[in-house]
Structure formats: C-alpha cells, structure tokens
Amino acid sequence: MGENVTRRNSLSRYLPGWAVAVSVIWGVASAHAGQADPLASVMWDSVHQEVLAGQPVVFDPAVRVITAARVENTMQVPIEVEVDDSVGPVSEIVVFADHNPIPRILTYRPLSARPRIGLSFKVQEATPIRAAARTADGVWHVGGQWADAAGGGCTTPSAGQRSRAWESHLNEATYHRWPRADGSERLQVSLIHPMDTGLAPGIPAFYLTRLVLRDQDGTPLAELLPAEPVAENPLFALDLRPARPGKTVWRLEGGDSDGNLVAASLPPSPQEGSQ
C-alpha cells in the first residue's frame, strides 16, 4: 500500500494537470462510492445518475430537508431546504424526489443569497425527498427524508385548467420582504402559473423554467430553475444577505416553457416589523 502511494505521488509530477485533476476527482468519488443510502431507496442509483450525473456524493446531515412525513395534498407539498455554513460555499442546490416520474423538482443557485430555499411541489407516490448541495470541490452533499403519499400529484391536471382564469394574469407576481436586524431579508414571492407537468392526458407540459432575482443595477442575487413538479402558482421563499447600500429595489426576471416572460419589480415591503 505504501509503495503504491509513493509511486502515485511520484508519477503525479510528470502527469499533465488535467490528469492529476481527474485522479483527484476519481479519488473523491471512490471515497464516497461505498456509502449506503441512509433512506434505503431502490431508486437511488438511478436518480444519482439522472439528477446528479453520477458525480461524487456524501450523505450529510448538514443538508436538512424539512417536509411533512405524511402528505395530505399531493399537489401542494411544502418543503424547506437548509444547508449549514459548515458545509462551505454552495454553488448549487438540487431538490428531487426519487419516485416521481420527473425526479428533479428545482435547481437553485444562491449566488449571493444564503443556501436556503422554501417551495411547494407535486408528488406522485411515497418517496424520499432529497436536496443535494454542491461545494467547490465538486462533491454533492445530500440530505433527505421519506414522505408518505397516496399519490397522483404529478399526473393530475392543475386546478387552473378548470377555469383558465389564470390566462389573463399569467406570471403576475405577489411578494413580501421581511427585514432582519442584521440587514438581511426573507423574501416570499408567488407567481400565477399552472405548472402543468405534461403527464395529465391531453395537457402539454407548461411550466416556469428560469427565474433570476437581481438588484436595481442588474446584479444577479439568486437564480432558480424550476422543473415540472413545482406546484401550481408557485411560491418561493429565499434568504437574502444584506443588500449593498442603495440597492434595495429588486427585480424578478425569467420565463416559462412557452416563452412567456416574467418581469416584476420587488421594492421593499411596507415595514411590518422584522423576522
């Protein structure tokens, strides 16, 4: 063993930089490959490949998924994801459900925001609900919990399909901002959108695909990439770090799968106390 390590260290001096990088990544992957899925999901290997491209993972209690253990409304399942600062800087968070016909629920890039997000989504059956947070070394830190559900949320038409009143208000945003004593803020923003998965008979997929929160100079603060399982008329909750002086007016921009645009101004809410 000692001879092999010495030989590998010696060879690394003569390998191109990319080869050394590949060797390091392979070593990280090998270190985590033997970890058993703590949720014992028969779909883990499949979703690891589909959602995380088979990249290195570590099951980490510092990534917390807070949701109902028993789901009553499969069309609106609330979830909160929190990543401890001990994990280090997080570039991306992916939320997914192993047993959903479309596993990926949302990708969140916190940019200058904190690595926390709340939302609601649709679930098809009992399943592990997971969040994976990627750190600078390329490793995904994964947390999750089981949710028991009767099923059918992903294949049921949205409520808006019955009245279609949403058509005249598509992508309209309502929001509230709660300031905190340290200058940070909690943002809740909701948009009018049916978020159809395309799995209900005769109803094509129609959903928000990208949202970017910017300050008034256009600097991006956070980016969301929703997928089909996000709930109808989605509500997102974000934790924003203290704003730059004079940059307290935010804008939400983006679009959906049919090319309809989102454009909303989010100035500070009337002060109702801090959270």
Side-chain angles (χ1 to χ4, degrees):
M1 177 67 179
E3 180 182 352
N4 290 340
V5 172
T6 302
R7 185 177 301 161
R8 186 165 62 239
N9 289 343
S10 299
L11 286 172
S12 68
R13 290 180 297 175
Y14 304 101
L15 289 172
W18 65 266
V20 175
V22 168
S23 177
V24 170
I25 292 172
W26 180 88
V28 172
S30 298
H32 301 305
Q35 281 196 321
D37 174 20
L39 301 181
S41 169
V42 297
M43 294 298 294
W44 166 246
D45 289 341
S46 175
V47 295
H48 179 204
Q49 292 295 326
E50 180 178 348
V51 179
L52 303 179
Q55 295 171 348
V57 303
V58 55
F59 297 108
D60 193 338
V63 179
R64 292 186 295 278
V65 173
I66 304 165
T67 189
R70 174 70 182 175
V71 173
E72 296 187 4
N73 182 354
T74 57
M75 298 285 287
Q76 292 280 345
V77 184
I79 184 174
E80 184 91 13
V81 174
E82 300 177 349
V83 182
D84 280 350
D85 292 340
S86 61
V87 168
V90 170
S91 60
E92 193 169 39
I93 296 171
V94 179
V95 183
F96 56 103
D98 290 20
H99 294 182
N100 263 9
I102 303 171
R104 188 179 74 88
I105 298 166
L106 173 129
T107 298
Y108 179 48
R109 294 171 183 154
L111 303 179
S112 64
R114 292 192 167 100
R116 303 172 186 168
I117 185 167
L119 67 148
S120 291
F121 66 98
K122 301 181 282 283
V123 69
Q124 185 66 13
E125 60 181 89
T127 180
I129 310 298
R130 305 189 197 251
R134 186 165 62 179
T135 47
D137 56 4
V139 174
W140 291 96
H141 297 251
V142 180
Q145 72 167 68
W146 270 91
D148 189 13
C154 293
T155 52
T156 301
S158 63
Q161 291 293 341
R162 292 192 288 271
S163 69
R164 306 194 70 85
W166 55 266
E167 292 180 340
S168 59
H169 298 280
L170 183 68
N171 288 337
E172 285 184 6
T174 56
Y175 73 99
H176 197 95
R177 293 168 55 172
W178 287 274
R180 295 190 173 106
D182 65 357
S184 64
E185 291 192 57
R186 176 80 162 175
L187 169 68
Q188 285 189 348
V189 58
S190 179
L191 295 107
I192 297 176
H193 203 287
M195 297 299 292
D196 283 307
T197 63
L199 301 177
I203 301 174
F206 181 41
Y207 60 98
L208 291 163
T209 56
R210 183 171 184 259
L211 298 168
V212 182
L213 182 69
R214 303 180 185 275
D215 70 13
Q216 60 204 55
D217 287 343
T219 302
L221 306 175
E223 181 181 19
L224 300 89
L225 305 176
E228 297 94 322
V230 169
E232 180 180 6
N233 298 330
L235 183 147
F236 303 104
L238 312 180
D239 279 299
L240 282 298
R241 301 185 193 276
R244 295 182 295 156
K247 309 301 176 188
T248 59
V249 175
W250 300 336
R251 286 194 58 79
L252 187 68
E253 302 172 353
D256 64 25
S257 57
D258 278 14
N260 302 294
L261 299 181
V262 174
S265 179
L266 311 179
S269 304
Q271 299 302 303
E272 296 182 1
S274 59
Q275 182 179 351

